[in-house]
């Protein structure tokens, strides 16, 4: 069930004077995001350079700059150890391009998701030692790599950590790995003014400051670096606030004009219009192609693409990433359908018996378990853990819903697990197969004790008549971009809309256009992206059988939650109303 809420944050700060509908919409959107004073509004809309913080305030930043100076002077080789996701790929690429520019011999090693697991480990340290290198810098990992750092110390190597993940804390104090330094804005002693950078964001700030310290202007390189950082910031789903908004806004501008051969080839094979690249294109089209290499093979291909200066090589890699992504989608869809079949067969009538879904799916690639868990969570609005066979037993990934701390729920029963880690909204774990059923039961008992709320909350910025949703509204909304985590795209609602006609389009009959008559008697067509049979099934469950008769009698009435979207057809711009949620009035 859905519960709709009209957000009313900071309404006591609204001006006492009369406001027109568009002024109310503007203030509602801003105030609902806690943007209320003049400076915050200015920073939010203009995204000025003043949002950028001093990289020297990052903890142990001085140790990074000292290490680089030493490596330049002594001609020492540096190995970058990144992560296999998009953030890790971008972080590694930013480091390589920058360190090469300042004259350092640099190479990289990305852990294999299946063979190595997450992050740097002792074997990787030994491998780099055997190569002859004596300096390691991590990115997007390492803050809890205690064994790996101890191994580096044992071998007489220098290791420096750059990361953005949560630190190990005991008695309120950070526990840091043995290393030259740990650069992470989440450290308790950090004086850096913004904690929500992704891994590539941390690396980007260090590398821009390194270029500054070496008096290297190189505009082309700087433009590439912020483009890479923007991709990672979007794909790692960090808060799009303050400094992250600056990185994404300017990074998107650079992406639309990039000369990076690899990026251009990937944009081309992905079918994205370069001049219209936005957060959606990065998060749902380009980003997954980088991630696919780390899921199904190794992430080296994504890095090689970004570093390539050869058209043929870049074209080959881009097509390979495209093919891997298609394979990833196929594996995900196959696993998702298996999971749905298992869950549906367990349903009691129309209800699920479990508050938390825990399912073992045979013959599913372990790298897509998290994606499947996310899709199942969205379909049933329940915390979901999907388990499958890994190299060393049963492995799985979990995704939670708002208001349910998955990490907190599992922690007291984590002694049942071989491995476990995560945070409020996601987790990773390993378990012996024979314990799955008992684990499921215990986790559901925990969910009952934690009073899990399974009602989906839909937050709306304000009631705004669809008849008034025109280009003025859309232009105002566009001025608030980029949207993402902690800065969601505005949603509006309109109610008591009388259905006057329904048309279904699409090869799979999954585009529904509904013509409404609003309360003022005006007509407006909206679009709903949903399979026709799903829409009709909802009507049938309410007892609405003869839909045409209801429409003819003006008795089919709906409330909708929507967002406006630009439709640019044959250079004629209009505003579409896209329905995200709806309900029928009895």
């Amino acid at each position: 069930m859905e519960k709709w809420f009209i957000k009313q944050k900071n309404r006591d700060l609204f001006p006492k004077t009369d406001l027109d509908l568009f002024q109310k919409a503007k203030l509602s959107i801003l105030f609902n995001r806690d943007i209320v004073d003049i400076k915050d509004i200015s920073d939010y809309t203009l995204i000025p350079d003043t949002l950028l913080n001093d990289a020297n305030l990052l903890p142990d930043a001085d140790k990074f700059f000292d290490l680089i100076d030493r490596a330049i002077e002594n001609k020492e080789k540096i190995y970058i150890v990144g992560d296999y996701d998009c953030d890790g790929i971008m972080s590694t690429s930013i480091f390589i391009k920058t360190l090469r520019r300042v004259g350092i011999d640099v190479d990289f090693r990305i852990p294999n998701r299946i063979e190595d697991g997450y992050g740097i480990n002792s074997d990787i340290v030994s491998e780099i030692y055997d190569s002859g290198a004596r300096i390691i810098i991590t990115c997007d990992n390492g803050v809890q790599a205690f064994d790996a750092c101890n191994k580096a110390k044992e071998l007489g190597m220098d290791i420096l950590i750059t990361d953005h993940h949560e630190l190990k804390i005991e008695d309120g104090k950070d526990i840091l790995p043995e290393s030259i330094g740990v650069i992470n804005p989440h450290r308790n002693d950090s004086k850096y003014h913004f904690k929500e950078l992704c891994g590539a964001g941390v690396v980007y700030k260090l590398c821009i400051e390194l270029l500054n310290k070496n008096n290297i202007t190189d505009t082309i390189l700087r433009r590439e670096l912020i483009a890479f950082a923007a991709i990672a910031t979007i794909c790692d789903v960090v808060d799009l606030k303050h400094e992250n908004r600056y990185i994404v806004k300017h990074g998107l501008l650079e992406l639309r004009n990039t000369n990076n051969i690899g990026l251009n080839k990937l944009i081309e094979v992905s079918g994205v219009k370069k001049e219209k690249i936005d957060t959606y294109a990065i998060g749902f089209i380009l980003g997954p192609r980088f991630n696919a290499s780390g899921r199904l093979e190794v992430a080296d291909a994504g890095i090689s693409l970004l570093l390539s200066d050869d058209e043929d090589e870049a074209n080959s890699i881009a097509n390979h990433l495209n093919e891997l992504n298609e394979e990833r989608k196929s594996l995900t869809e196959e696993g998702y359908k298996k999971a749905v079949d298992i869950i549906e067969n367990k349903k009691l009538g129309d209800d699920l018996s479990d508050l938390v879904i825990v399912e073992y799916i045979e013959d599913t690639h372990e790298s897509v378990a998290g994606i499947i868990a996310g899709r199942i969570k969205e379909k049933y609005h329940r915390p979901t853990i999907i388990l499958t066979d890994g190299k060393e037993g049963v492995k799985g990934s979990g995704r939670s819903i708002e208001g349910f701390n998955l990490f907190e729920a599992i922690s007291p029963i984590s002694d049942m697990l071989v491995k476990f880690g995560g945070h409020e909204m996601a987790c990773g774990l390993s378990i012996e197969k024979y314990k799955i059923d008992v684990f499921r039961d215990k986790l559901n008992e925990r969910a009952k004790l934690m009073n899990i709320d399974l009602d989906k909350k839909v937050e709306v910025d304000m009631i705004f008549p669809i008849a008034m949703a025109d280009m003025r509204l859309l232009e105002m909304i566009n001025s608030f971009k980029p949207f993402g985590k902690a800065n969601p795209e505005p949603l509006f609602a309109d109610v008591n809309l009388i259905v006057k006609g329904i048309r279904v389009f699409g090869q799979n009959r999954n585009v529904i256009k509904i013509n409404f008559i609003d309360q003022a008697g005006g007509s407006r067509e909206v679009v709903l992206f949903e399979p026709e049979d799903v829409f009709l099934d909802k009507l049938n469950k309410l007892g609405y059988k003869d839909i045409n008769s209801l429409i003819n009698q003006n008795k089919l009435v709906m409330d909708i939650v929507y967002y406006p979207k630009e439709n640019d057809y044959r250079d004629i711009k209009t505003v579409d109303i896209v329905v995200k949620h709806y309900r029928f009035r009895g």
Side-chain angles (χ1 to χ4, degrees), residues 102-325:
V102 299
I104 290 177
D105 181 11
V106 59
D107 207 338
F108 69 94
R109 171 67 157 83
I110 304 295
N112 182 293
R113 181 189 288 263
I114 295 173
E115 301 294 330
D116 299 311
Y118 168 75
I120 190 170
N121 59 42
S122 298
D123 290 341
I124 291 174
V125 171
S126 297
E127 177 188 316
I128 293 172
Y129 178 84
D130 291 341
S131 76
R134 295 295 180 265
I135 300 175
I136 297 173
I137 299 177
T138 74
C139 53
D140 194 33
N141 77 97
V143 77
Q144 298 208 30
F146 297 97
D147 291 344
C149 288
N150 289 337
K151 184 66 175 180
K153 182 179 180 182
E154 175 190 319
L155 293 173
M157 302 178 73
D158 290 322
I159 184 167
L160 184 138
I161 307 295
T162 77
D163 202 351
H164 74 117
H165 292 100
E166 296 293 336
L167 298 95
K168 182 178 181 180
I169 298 177
E170 292 181 1
D171 298 324
K173 294 182 179 179
D174 294 338
I175 307 299
L176 305 178
E178 188 76 34
S179 62
I180 285 181
V182 176
I183 301 175
N184 186 325
H186 288 284
R187 281 177 54 170
N188 282 325
D189 61 349
S190 176
K191 296 178 181 178
Y192 199 75
H193 301 305
F194 184 64
K195 293 184 180 296
E196 304 306 320
L197 292 170
C198 66
V202 174
V203 174
Y204 169 75
K205 294 307 298 288
L206 290 171
C207 287
I208 290 297
E209 184 61 20
L210 180 62
L211 293 176
N212 292 340
K213 288 180 182 295
N214 285 272
N215 298 313
I216 298 173
T217 53
D218 200 337
T219 303
I220 293 175
L221 174 60
R222 288 169 181 261
R223 290 172 60 183
E224 279 193 327
L225 299 190
I226 198 168
F228 295 173
I231 293 171
T233 300
I234 294 165
C235 292
D236 221 50
V237 199
V238 291
D239 288 357
L240 278 195
K241 299 165 67 175
H242 307 303
E243 197 164 19
N244 283 340
R245 277 174 63 78
Y246 181 96
I247 289 172
V248 170
K249 176 187 174 182
H250 291 274
L252 287 174
L253 291 174
E254 299 303 341
L255 281 164
R256 292 169 193 155
N257 297 282
T258 185
N259 291 318
N260 183 281
I261 294 171
L263 277 176
N264 280 325
K265 290 298 181 183
L266 190 64
I267 291 166
E268 182 182 318
V269 302
S270 302
V272 174
K273 290 184 178 180
K274 187 175 177 181
E275 68 278 6
K276 292 192 174 182
I277 289 177
D278 57 10
T279 53
Y280 178 86
I282 298 300
F284 293 94
I285 302 175
L286 298 177
R289 283 161 171 77
F290 284 108
N291 279 326
S293 63
R295 290 186 185 280
L296 302 183
E297 295 182 347
V298 289
D300 298 34
I303 297 168
S304 297
L305 179 74
L306 297 174
L307 301 180
S308 179
D309 57 6
D310 181 270
E311 292 265 353
D312 292 336
E313 177 192 47
N315 188 61
S316 176
I317 297 172
N319 278 287
H320 182 58
L321 292 180
N322 205 46
E323 290 165 3
L324 285 176
N325 190 54

Side-chain angles (χ1 to χ4, degrees), residues 388-435:
T388 189
D389 293 308
K391 185 184 178 186
E392 299 176 352
V394 175
K395 294 178 67 176
S397 290
R399 299 292 183 268
S400 195
I401 61 175
E402 184 182 350
F404 184 73
N405 191 319
L406 191 59
F407 184 82
E408 185 181 298
I410 295 175
S411 291
I413 57 173
S414 61
D415 57 345
M416 298 183 63
L417 306 174
V418 178
K419 289 182 180 179
F420 169 63
H423 52 79
E424 181 176 354
M425 299 302 292
C427 73
L429 55 87
S430 300
I431 186 173
E432 294 171 282
K433 187 181 291 187
Y434 75 92
K435 292 183 178 180

